[in-house]
Amino acid sequence: MDYNFLQPILIIFGVSGLIIYLLGKIKIPSVVGFLIAGAIIGPYGMAFIKEPQDVEVIAEIGVMLLMFTIGIEFSIPRLMSLKKEVFLFGSLQVITTIIVITLISLLAFNISLNISIFYGFIVALSSTAIVMKLLFDRGELNSPHGKVCLGILLFQDLCVVPLMLFTQMLSGQNGNYYNFFIVIFKALLILSVVFIFSRAAVPYILHEIVKTRSRELFIIIIIFICLGTAFFTYKLGLSLALGAFLAGIVISESEYSAQAVSDILPFKETFSGIFFISVGMLLNINYIKQHIVEETIIVGNIFILKSLIIVLIVYVFIHSIKLSLKSALALSQIGEFSFILAFTGKSIGLLDETAYQSFISASVITMFVTPLIIRYSPYVVDYLMQKNFFKNLEKIKRIKETDIIVKKSNHVIIIGFGLNGRNLARILKEINIPYVILELNPDTVRKMKKKGEPIYYGDGTSPEILHKLGIHRAKMLVIAISDPLATRKIVQIAKTENPKIHIIVRTRFVTEIDELRKLGANEVIPEEFETSLEIFSRVLHHFGIPRNKIVQMLEQIRVEGYEILRIPEISETRTGLECVIFEGLEMDSFEIEKNSWLIGKSIKSIDIRSKAGVTVIAVQRGEKTFLNPPSDFSLKEGDIIVYVGNKKQLINALNFFQGN
């Protein structure tokens, strides 16, 4: 048997592992390491792998798994909420870029109309794989600029096949308007099928698979759904990556999405790394050396033109120059699907060999630079925002918006009006605590203003905006946004302006706690940490550990590792220990500790029935259980009181036993 197919795989993993390790020492993103590894081992480098086609299949699987895991992060309702970003921003970006590139090619370089339009096609697309991975890794996929990038990239992916058909029309080969509209119809049909299938079939199928308790079967079915949906869309004329993304959305509609991500993640990281390596193999270093000036000009023009177009489109509709700049810098490169268009254009005569090599080299260079651009874009944007031109653009929006006038004192400032911000505002309103909200989405601001919410449009990283919100008079600041860099800056500014303000931050990862604490945050609530503690509390409750003991254990964990975290209430939603006797009736327990006020008291004297509404049904003392103890039963240290009531009564009883 011939095992030569293992050679390129061994070379890929060996070289890329070494390079990523070395670059990691200087904190260079792994994507850059993969691209550099591809350039080194590829046919234009040291030629360890002479035929990039040897890894193209593996690379294609990498793109599919990458898009699949990104799709799992979304749900259909959430995707529908991005319709403005997808259909408005996406269509304007693609159409405007094609028009601008076509006019420049026609007027400045006297290139024929058909070829000029084709240049517009290949420049209009950005790299979904690179941008989505970088934003996902940085926790910015849910940030305002992350949503804009996702929307535009999704529309670009939808455009790949129509652009392919138009390319054939431009060359006069095998293309007509009938085929174009057939593909559009297929795309709409696929989206409809995915929506129906995700609602009806997938939850049932996965539920039946999980009942078998076979992890291997679960992984097989998940991969089958991913690759099967991708292959289905490919056969209908759309891209594999788009199909994989849709498969992820299908899985996201079930309660098993988290497990699917956990099982697929190792495959995704491996295969997507090979994709980036295959892109690096396309870099012709010798060609770049010979045409360094021309390539520099091309790359520079691509970045500038695409950035300007995206800034203009996003600013017109969102009116945030900062958000526009972040989105533009993230999408300023050439995409992987442009390679497919370029290869097609070369094969049908729209590109000659020189133009093809020039485009491929420039495209790969833009991909090389993108991780660094995204990494340092916040600092670039902050620098640009100090310039008068960009300051004036921000002022234009402030004139249009209602002026921020906040005269409240001892109020809460909420930054971000997502799910966490909405829930907090609702509770504060119910208990009459004054608050104001700052949100960067103008649509949300207009909608919630009509409902009477004290919400204002603005960027929390602006000291001027925080001043207008009354940061000096505020008692508390709650930051609930999905932008780590912006969060850190807001904390720093707020603590400088008002050292006494209490700052609570919601963050995604535990690793961000220390830095936020150093900057001045009083409490940091990391999502992954709180999720683990919730699981921990439920496991202990299932094994019959008394409620107050669980609270103490959670407190001890926080004190030892995360002293800045508050002690949250145990969720009212419990499973395990509680025994539902009748509808609404549940059971709980409490252990009497040393120095408790309950020691020596009788059940009658504590009057728990009238004070909290619960009924004591048993007392556990060591190995002995006293069922339905008499009213004169005297309580001792170490006794475990078992009582029943509804959820509200159980919470009242816990507070009563603790002396609250």
Side-chain angles (χ1 to χ4, degrees):
M1 185 178 290
D2 187 3
Y3 292 102
N4 288 332
F5 71 92
L6 286 175
Q7 181 177 339
I9 296 177
L10 290 173
I11 294 172
I12 286 173
F13 286 130
V15 175
S16 61
L18 176 62
I19 292 175
I20 292 171
Y21 172 77
L22 295 175
L23 292 179
K25 294 292 185 180
I26 54 177
K27 297 183 178 181
I28 299 297
S30 60
V31 173
V32 177
F34 286 128
L35 293 170
I36 292 175
I40 291 174
I41 66 179
Y44 304 111
M46 302 182 71
F48 292 142
I49 298 178
K50 297 181 172 59
E51 297 294 335
Q53 293 83 359
D54 292 343
V55 295
E56 280 183 355
V57 174
I58 301 177
E60 197 70 50
I61 294 175
V63 176
M64 286 189 287
L65 292 177
L66 174 63
M67 295 304 296
F68 177 68
T69 51
I70 292 172
I72 291 179
E73 293 294 315
F74 288 82
S75 62
I76 290 178
R78 186 179 173 194
L79 190 62
M80 293 304 294
S81 69
L82 295 175
K83 53 183 177 292
K84 182 173 77 171
E85 287 83 355
V86 175
F87 298 107
L88 180 60
F89 294 172
S91 60
L92 287 175
Q93 184 272 328
V94 171
I95 293 171
T96 305
T97 303
I98 292 173
I99 292 174
V100 170
I101 297 298
T102 299
L103 291 176
I104 291 175
S105 300
L106 275 173
L107 302 177
F109 300 101
N110 197 28
I111 299 173
S112 67
L113 177 61
N114 284 7
I115 296 178
S116 298
I117 294 174
F118 179 69
Y119 285 167
F121 288 178
I122 57 180
V123 173
L125 303 180
S126 302
S127 177
T128 302
I130 292 179
V131 175
M132 287 294 95
K133 177 174 174 56
L134 292 172
L135 293 180
F136 183 81
D137 291 345
R138 291 167 60 86
E140 297 178 3
L141 203 56
N142 294 320
S143 65
H145 69 277
K147 292 178 180 178
V148 170
C149 292
L150 175 65
I152 292 175
L153 289 168
L154 284 178
F155 185 84
Q156 290 178 358
D157 288 349
L158 288 170
C159 287
V160 171
V161 174
L163 291 180
M164 189 77 71
L165 291 174
F166 274 126
T167 297
Q168 295 173 345
M169 294 179 194
L170 292 175
S171 67
Q173 297 182 16
N174 301 323
N176 55 56
Y177 293 103
Y178 173 77
N179 290 336
F180 173 75
F181 286 111
I182 285 295
V183 171
I184 296 297
F185 174 76
K186 287 180 179 179
L188 295 175
L189 179 63
I190 289 170
L191 292 175
S192 301
V193 170
V194 167
F195 180 81
I196 296 171
F197 190 63
S198 64
R199 294 287 183 177
V202 170
Y204 173 78
I205 293 173
L206 292 182
H207 181 69
E208 292 299 316
I209 295 299
V210 169
K211 284 168 61 177
T212 66
R213 300 183 180 275
S214 171
R215 184 169 181 264
E216 294 80 4
L217 180 59
F218 181 79
I219 295 175
I220 289 172
I221 295 301
I222 292 296
I223 294 177
F224 173 78
I225 292 175
C226 170
L227 301 183
T229 307
F231 185 73
F232 174 67
T233 57
Y234 169 74
K235 281 297 185 181
L236 290 178
L238 299 177
S239 68
L240 288 167
L242 179 61
F245 178 79
L246 294 176
I249 292 178
V250 168
I251 299 297
S252 73
E253 292 297 299
S254 75
E255 63 268 37
Y256 308 111
S257 57
Q259 184 62 43
V261 171
S262 175
D263 290 336
I264 294 297
L265 195 60
F267 297 98
K268 187 264 291 187
E269 296 294 344
T270 301
F271 286 103
S272 62
I274 295 176
F275 162 74
F276 294 119
I277 291 172
S278 68
V279 171
M281 290 181 186
L282 298 173
L283 187 64
N284 190 332
I285 300 175
N286 292 329
Y287 180 86
I288 293 175
K289 288 179 180 178
Q290 296 170 7
H291 302 84
I292 185 67
V293 176
E294 295 93 326
E295 290 302 306
T296 302
I297 294 173
I298 293 173
V299 170
N301 286 333
I302 289 172
F303 277 128
I304 293 172
L305 286 173
K306 293 194 73 172
S307 297
L308 287 176
I309 291 169
I310 295 171
V311 166
L312 178 63
I313 292 170
V314 177
Y315 180 74
V316 166
F317 292 96
I318 294 185
H319 303 287
S320 170
I321 190 62
K322 197 168 187 178
L323 172 59
S324 305
L325 288 169
K326 284 186 176 181
S327 304
L329 290 172
L331 298 174
S332 56
Q333 75 292 130
I334 301 296
E336 54 274 359
F337 293 121
S338 294
F339 297 149
I340 300 173
L341 284 176
F343 181 79
T344 302
K346 177 188 173 185
S347 64
I348 61 179
L350 289 174
L351 287 181
D352 58 27
E353 183 63 32
T354 301
Y356 176 76
Q357 283 297 334
S358 178
F359 168 76
I360 292 296
S361 299
S363 301
V364 176
I365 291 173
T366 63
M367 288 185 167
F368 264 99
V369 180
T370 295
L372 299 178
I373 289 178
I374 292 179
R375 179 177 179 178
Y376 294 106
S377 62
Y379 308 104
V380 174
V381 171
D382 288 342
Y383 172 77
L384 293 176
M385 293 304 298
Q386 302 303 316
K387 304 300 179 182
N388 290 331
F389 175 75
F390 293 102
K391 285 183 178 180
N392 293 333
L393 288 177
E394 282 291 280
K395 289 179 181 178
I396 293 174
K397 176 60 186 175
R398 292 173 192 167
I399 293 172
K400 292 181 179 179
E401 290 290 335
T402 304
D403 289 337
I404 299 176
I405 303 175
V406 177
K407 297 182 179 180
K408 300 175 182 177
S409 297
N410 293 322
H411 58 291
V412 178
I413 299 175
I414 304 173
I415 308 292
F417 205 57
L419 180 61
N420 291 288
R422 291 171 192 266
N423 290 336
L424 175 59
R426 185 176 68 251
I427 298 300
L428 294 177
K429 181 184 293 185
E430 288 180 1
I431 56 180
N432 295 319
I433 293 179
Y435 66 94
V436 294
I437 306 160
L438 189 68
E439 171 61 40
L440 202 54
N441 187 327
D443 295 333
T444 301
V445 173
R446 285 191 290 268
K447 181 179 178 181
M448 301 313 297
K449 263 189 183 300
K450 293 178 180 178
K451 295 183 178 181
E453 289 286 359
I455 186 171
Y456 302 94
Y457 172 86
D459 187 350
T461 61
S462 168
E464 181 182 355
I465 296 292
L466 292 179
H467 272 285
K468 291 184 176 182
L469 292 174
I471 190 71
H472 291 96
R473 303 184 303 276
K475 188 172 185 178
M476 182 175 291
L477 173 67
V478 178
I479 306 173
I481 58 176
S482 300
D483 189 334
L485 289 175
T487 297
R488 290 195 285 269
K489 188 172 182 181
I490 294 171
V491 170
Q492 193 172 21
I493 294 172
K495 212 64 177 181
T496 302
E497 299 294 332
N498 183 358
K500 294 183 180 180
I501 194 170
H502 191 87
I503 301 176
I504 299 178
V505 181
R506 185 217 72 180
T507 185
R508 186 175 181 186
F509 301 113
V510 176
T511 52
E512 297 172 355
I513 292 178
D514 292 337
E515 185 174 358
L516 289 168
R517 174 64 172 166
K518 290 177 183 177
L519 291 173
N522 299 90
E523 301 182 46
V524 181
I525 312 299
E527 293 176 1
E528 62 177 1
F529 179 72
E530 289 301 318
T531 300
S532 66
L533 288 190
E534 177 67 16
I535 295 172
F536 169 71
S537 67
R538 291 182 183 224
V539 170
L540 294 183
H541 200 56
H542 180 78
F543 278 93
I545 305 300
R547 178 70 61 185
N548 58 319
K549 282 293 184 182
I550 296 176
V551 173
Q552 290 176 8
M553 292 179 187
L554 295 179
E555 180 180 3
Q556 185 63 30
I557 290 175
R558 289 181 171 90
V559 169
E560 290 178 353
Y562 306 94
E563 66 275 8
I564 59 174
L565 292 182
R566 65 181 175 86
I567 304 174
E569 280 189 295
I570 300 297
S571 171
E572 291 187 30
T573 303
R574 298 185 299 273
T575 59
L577 177 65
E578 67 269 20
C579 176
V580 181
I581 304 173
F582 300 105
E583 185 176 0
L585 190 63
E586 301 183 10
M587 183 173 67
D588 212 335
S589 60
F590 182 88
E591 181 177 351
I592 301 176
E593 299 176 317
K594 186 178 180 180
N595 299 324
S596 171
W597 70 276
L598 295 169
I599 296 175
K601 300 288 179 65
S602 67
I603 292 178
K604 180 179 180 180
S605 66
I606 64 176
D607 197 16
I608 186 65
R609 176 78 176 182
S610 61
K611 297 292 178 59
V614 300
T615 300
V616 176
I617 61 171
V619 174
Q620 179 79 32
R621 179 174 292 170
E623 298 295 327
K624 191 174 182 180
T625 301
F626 298 89
L627 295 175
N628 194 23
S631 60
D632 60 350
F633 186 91
S634 181
L635 299 171
K636 297 182 179 181
E637 179 185 344
D639 284 353
I640 297 177
I641 306 172
V642 183
Y643 48 94
V644 294
N646 61 34
K647 291 183 178 181
K648 183 177 180 181
Q649 291 168 342
L650 295 184
I651 294 174
N652 291 337
L654 176 62
N655 291 326
F656 178 74
F657 288 143
Q658 290 177 328
N660 297 329

